């Protein structure tokens, strides 16, 4: 059973109970939507009605225009839902997926469903949406189910099941995002202040730099022999560095690290401290932390690959320096889990490369690659795989690429195929069916100029460079996007298991996302559960089980194991061994010089 929620005025709404036919592979009724009953109810009664329906033996799937607008007010009333269908998020995927390119939804002129959401995710009103034209959720649900029923893969087979899984996972992710914002990340403001004071000096008066930051700046000025320097102005800093005889092309930290001069070390230290002050300093603390909670605003699907973005608080760029301020409540603990070598495992499963799949059965996939003889060291495996997935051809990543290609030909063929498609300006898709955007007008204009009979060598070089750059984007799109799909499925499964662990909802009790073990933080392939200490072991087991289940859900026949590293800690800073496989600085240098798009 599905229930469509439709605003019907300033103080009322309509609830449509609808039947949705199974998708199937054939049949004119596949995915059909039939309204069974309809009722107009006061908006003030929505929370009670939702709670009543959620308490039934078989709760419905709620269908609404925008989870970020409609769900937070329900959470504020102490009501949560198990499942939903977010029409706006699903519309975006179906509108751009190559699997539904011929559907009525994809070929229709732009509508209100294509407009950016206007409502704030944290608001007082239920329906503060302002599209240019009224939206009809029932009609949109019909269009979406029709598009799903006709979803077709490149080989002509039905892609309804895969794409349907993506839409369900995307909608579940919207529920997770709203619940995590509502519950918040447990945050010790006093500890954060102490961390800042230790690193920067005591909190300064408005308009002044902290004392330790000012002292570091004095070292830079002295080393450069200047009395006045604003290091926060890239243009001025570059001019002063060149005046000191340093042949630098930019003020980027990775370039400065290769320069020998007494000013460089304190300058790099200044830049690091300045980033901390700007991104997570006292102003950030005053703005985003209240009542012992940091409540960032997540944007599911905010990146074209399907990764999340953040619309406030910078949750997806939380630096290690301040993670000590993330502390569980008394009697509670943090269960922090990170997917080990997620993208290489995703590539192995997608490509069906048997040799890479064997390496992926190891707890540490990079060590598994060493064990199979593909490379000699774990570092070589890491450089080689990240270079292959991100298009690195220079430095250590480029040197390892031929060995990785020889060891895992099917895996490398998959990303190479995606890269060549991008170079031709074609669309590529993730495992479940999210498709990449087409390159922009400047890209197309450059290719047309290069194809002209009067094209110059400069025209052709520019076109080739842009084509290679877009190829690097599509190369990684298929892997990173599929990894995002796995993470969505992981969180969706984990969320439902945690709800079951929390027990049935009780009217008048604390809202479910904060009343028991609940997801508190998510970062690409890492999750944090805030759990009562007595349930931490069971939560850790559920985290591991749902990670493996998410792998089986996406890749039913794959032999790759999706493992997670789990740490149960009081402070986020103590989650040792978690998030240890980010690209190394030297590899970032290889890729940065290779991947200007």
């Amino acid at each position: 059973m599905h229930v469509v929620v439709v605003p019907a005025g300033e103080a009322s709404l309509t609830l449509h109970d609808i039947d949705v036919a199974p998708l199937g592979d054939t049949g004119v009724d596949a995915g059909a939507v039939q309204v069974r009953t309809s009722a107009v109810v006061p908006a003030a009664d929505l929370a009670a009605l939702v709670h009543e329906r959620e308490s039934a033996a078989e709760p419905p799937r709620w269908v609404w225009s925008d989870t970020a607008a409609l769900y937070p007010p329900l959470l504020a009333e102490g009501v949560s839902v198990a499942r939903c269908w977010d029409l706006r998020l699903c519309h975006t995927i179906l509108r751009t997926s190559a699997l539904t390119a011929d559907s009525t939804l994809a070929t229709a002129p732009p509508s209100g469903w294509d407009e950016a959401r206007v409502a704030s995710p944290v608001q007082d009103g239920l329906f503060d949406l302002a599209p240019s034209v009224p939206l009809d959720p029932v009609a949109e649900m019909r269009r979406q189910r029709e598009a799903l029923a006709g979803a077709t893969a490149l080989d002509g087979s039905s892609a309804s099941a895969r794409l349907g899984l993506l839409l369900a996972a995307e909608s579940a992710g919207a529920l997770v995002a709203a619940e995590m914002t509502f519950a918040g990340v447990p945050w010790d403001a006093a500890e954060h202040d102490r961390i800042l004071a230790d690193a920067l000096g005591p909190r300064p008066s408005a308009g002044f730099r902290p004392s330790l930051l000012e002292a570091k700046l004095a070292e830079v000025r002295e080393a450069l022999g200047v009395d006045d320097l604003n290091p926060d102005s890239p243009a001025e800093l570059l001019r002063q560095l060149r005046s000191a005889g340093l042949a630098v092309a930019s003020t980027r930290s990775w370039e400065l690290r290769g320069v020998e001069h007494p000013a460089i070390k304190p300058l790099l230290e200044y830049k690091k401290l300045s980033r901390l002050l700007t991104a997570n300093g006292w102003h950030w603390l005053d703005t985003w932390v209240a009542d012992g909670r940091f409540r960032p605003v997540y944007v599911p699907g905010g990146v074209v690959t399907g990764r999340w973005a953040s619309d406030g608080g910078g949750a997806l760029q939380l630096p290690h320096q301040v993670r000590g301020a993330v502390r569980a409540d008394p009697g509670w603990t943090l269960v922090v889990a990170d997917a080990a070598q997620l993208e290489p495992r995703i590539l192995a499963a997608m490509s069906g490369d048997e040799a890479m799949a064997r390496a992926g059965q190891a707890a540490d996939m990079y060590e598994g690659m060493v064990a199979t003889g593909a490379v000699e060291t774990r570092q070589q495996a890491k450089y080689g795989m990240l270079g292959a997935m991100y298009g690195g051809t220079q430095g250590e990543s480029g040197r390892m690429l031929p060995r990785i290609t020889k060891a895992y030909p099917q895996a490398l063929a998959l990303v190479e195929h995606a890269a060549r498609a991008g170079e031709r300006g074609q669309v590529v898709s993730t495992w479940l069916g999210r498709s990449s955007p087409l390159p922009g007008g400047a890209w197309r204009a450059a290719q047309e100029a290069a194809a002209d009979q009067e094209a110059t060598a400069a025209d052709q070089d520019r076109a080739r460079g842009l084509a290679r750059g877009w190829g690097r984007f599509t190369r990684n799109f298929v892997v990173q996007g599929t990894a995002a799909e796995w993470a969505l499925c992981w969180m969706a499964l984990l969320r439902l298991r945690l709800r079951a662990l929390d027990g049935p909802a009780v009217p008048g009790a604390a809202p479910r996302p904060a009343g028991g073990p609940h997801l508190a933080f998510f970062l690409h392939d890492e999750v944090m559960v805030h759990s009562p200490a007595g349930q931490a072991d069971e939560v850790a087991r559920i985290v591991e089980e749902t990670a493996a289940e998410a792998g089986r859900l996406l890749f039913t026949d794959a032999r790759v194991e999706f493992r997670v590293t789990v740490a149960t800690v009081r402070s986020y800073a103590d989650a040792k061994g978690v998030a240890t496989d980010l690209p190394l600085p030297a590899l970032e240098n290889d890729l940065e010089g290779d991947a200007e798009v």
Side-chain angles (χ1 to χ4, degrees):
M1 172 66 68
H2 292 60
V3 178
V4 182
V5 181
V6 185
E10 292 184 1
S12 63
L13 53 96
T14 302
L15 299 184
H16 298 286
D17 281 23
I18 63 173
D19 290 325
V20 178
L23 291 170
D25 292 336
T26 59
V28 294
D29 293 329
V33 173
Q34 182 68 41
V35 177
R36 181 192 295 180
T37 62
S38 301
V40 178
V41 300
D45 294 344
L46 180 61
L49 290 169
V50 171
H51 174 74
E52 180 182 351
R53 300 293 294 269
E54 282 291 317
S55 301
E58 295 185 13
R61 184 186 294 273
W62 299 90
V63 180
W64 46 43
S65 58
D66 194 336
T67 303
L70 274 68
Y71 195 35
L74 294 177
L75 292 171
E77 292 290 329
V79 176
S80 64
V81 304
R83 301 183 302 163
C84 83
W85 189 271
D86 189 302
L87 291 168
R88 192 176 296 274
L89 288 175
C90 293
H91 179 93
T92 299
I93 293 173
L94 293 170
R95 184 77 158 161
T96 57
S97 176
L99 307 181
T100 54
D102 296 329
S103 66
T104 300
L105 185 151
T107 57
S111 70
W113 294 103
D114 297 296
E115 297 178 16
R117 180 174 52 78
V118 177
S120 168
V122 181
Q123 58 184 324
D124 295 326
L126 278 172
F127 307 113
D128 295 338
L129 294 176
S132 59
V133 295
L135 304 180
D136 184 342
V138 175
E140 174 64 17
M141 185 64 171
R142 286 196 174 102
R143 285 187 290 267
Q144 293 191 10
R145 298 297 293 185
E146 177 189 0
L148 260 181
T152 306
L154 289 177
D155 62 3
S157 63
S158 172
S160 298
R162 280 191 186 182
L163 193 54
L165 174 59
L166 172 57
L167 300 185
E170 187 88 337
S171 299
L175 294 176
V176 170
E179 290 173 357
M180 289 198 304
T181 295
F182 178 80
V185 181
W187 203 276
D188 187 332
E191 177 63 15
H192 190 151
D193 179 75
R194 187 196 65 77
I195 291 171
L196 294 177
D198 285 351
L200 304 170
R203 182 170 186 165
S205 300
F208 291 87
R209 292 186 180 92
S211 58
L212 297 183
L213 192 63
E214 192 67 49
K216 195 61 62 177
L217 175 56
E219 292 182 40
V220 176
R221 288 170 174 163
E222 181 179 1
L224 291 177
V226 297
D227 295 327
D228 188 27
L229 168 68
N230 179 10
D232 302 318
S233 168
E236 181 179 343
L237 178 59
L238 183 61
R239 183 172 60 254
Q240 293 287 9
L241 291 175
R242 288 175 174 173
S243 296
L246 304 183
V248 292
S250 73
T251 60
R252 293 178 178 177
S253 295
W254 68 265
E255 181 176 353
L256 295 178
R257 278 193 288 267
V259 177
E260 290 290 337
H261 189 277
I264 297 303
K265 182 179 178 181
L267 176 58
L268 290 174
E269 291 172 351
Y270 176 91
K271 288 167 70 71
K272 182 179 179 179
L273 295 176
S274 180
R275 280 195 300 271
L276 173 61
L277 176 65
T278 302
N280 297 96
W282 287 281
H283 177 71
W284 180 93
L285 181 60
D286 294 341
T287 303
W288 288 102
V289 177
D291 301 323
R293 290 293 185 273
F294 163 43
R295 290 185 168 87
V297 179
Y298 300 97
V299 183
V303 180
V304 292
T305 59
R307 277 189 166 189
W308 286 15
S310 177
D311 194 28
L316 305 183
Q317 297 178 340
L318 200 62
H320 287 276
Q321 296 105 305
V322 300
R323 292 188 177 186
V326 181
R327 296 198 167 190
D329 292 343
W332 288 59
T333 191
L334 304 176
V335 179
V336 184
D338 174 72
Q341 302 93 39
L342 176 58
E343 290 190 0
R345 293 177 192 273
I346 287 291
L347 178 56
M350 289 179 70
S351 65
D353 193 300
E354 289 291 330
M356 186 177 277
R358 286 194 295 273
Q361 292 174 355
D364 185 322
M365 186 171 180
Y366 295 140
E367 292 291 356
M369 294 169 66
V370 174
T372 62
V375 290
E376 284 86 23
T377 68
R378 185 184 188 279
Q379 184 168 330
Q380 288 179 346
K382 183 174 180 178
Y383 271 102
M385 282 308 307
L386 291 174
M389 292 184 296
Y390 285 85
T393 58
Q394 300 179 7
E396 185 70 2
S397 58
R399 192 173 71 84
M400 287 294 107
L401 191 57
R403 299 186 62 173
I404 295 296
T405 302
K406 182 179 179 181
Y408 310 118
Q410 285 180 258
L412 271 292
L414 186 147
V415 289
E416 285 295 330
H417 177 77
R420 300 293 85 76
E423 290 175 3
R424 295 189 296 269
Q426 297 173 342
V427 166
V428 298
S429 298
T430 61
W431 183 254
L432 294 184
R434 192 190 304 267
S435 295
S436 64
L438 290 168
W443 189 96
R444 293 192 297 271
Q447 307 309 313
E448 291 171 2
D452 191 275
Q453 290 184 347
E454 299 181 1
T456 65
D459 290 333
Q460 294 174 345
D461 287 344
R462 171 172 168 76
R464 280 193 294 267
L466 289 173
R468 286 194 299 269
W470 198 256
R472 280 187 286 273
F473 163 68
T474 53
R475 169 194 292 271
N476 183 243
F477 181 95
V478 294
V479 180
Q480 186 182 108
T482 303
E485 293 167 352
W486 175 88
L488 280 173
C489 290
W490 181 27
M491 284 199 297
L493 294 167
L494 175 56
R495 172 182 178 270
L496 290 178
R497 291 282 296 276
L498 293 177
R499 282 174 65 88
L501 190 63
D502 193 19
V506 178
R512 296 189 66 140
H518 58 275
L519 281 158
F521 183 67
F522 166 62
L523 178 64
H524 303 320
D525 56 5
E526 180 180 342
V527 300
M528 176 193 296
V529 177
H530 194 207
S531 170
Q535 294 178 291
D537 290 344
E538 188 170 6
V539 168
R541 176 179 58 79
I542 291 173
V543 166
E544 293 179 332
E545 290 175 354
T546 50
E549 187 178 349
R552 293 191 296 270
L553 190 60
L554 264 70
F555 309 105
T556 54
D557 299 326
R559 295 168 50 201
V560 180
E561 295 187 22
F562 289 86
R563 300 179 181 241
V564 292
T565 302
V566 182
T568 301
V569 295
R570 286 275 300 138
S571 167
Y572 192 15
D574 295 332
K576 306 290 187 182
V578 175
T580 56
D581 277 313
L582 298 176
L584 299 176
L587 177 60
E588 290 176 337
N589 298 349
D590 291 347
L591 302 182
E592 187 165 359
D594 220 23
E596 300 228 357
V597 179

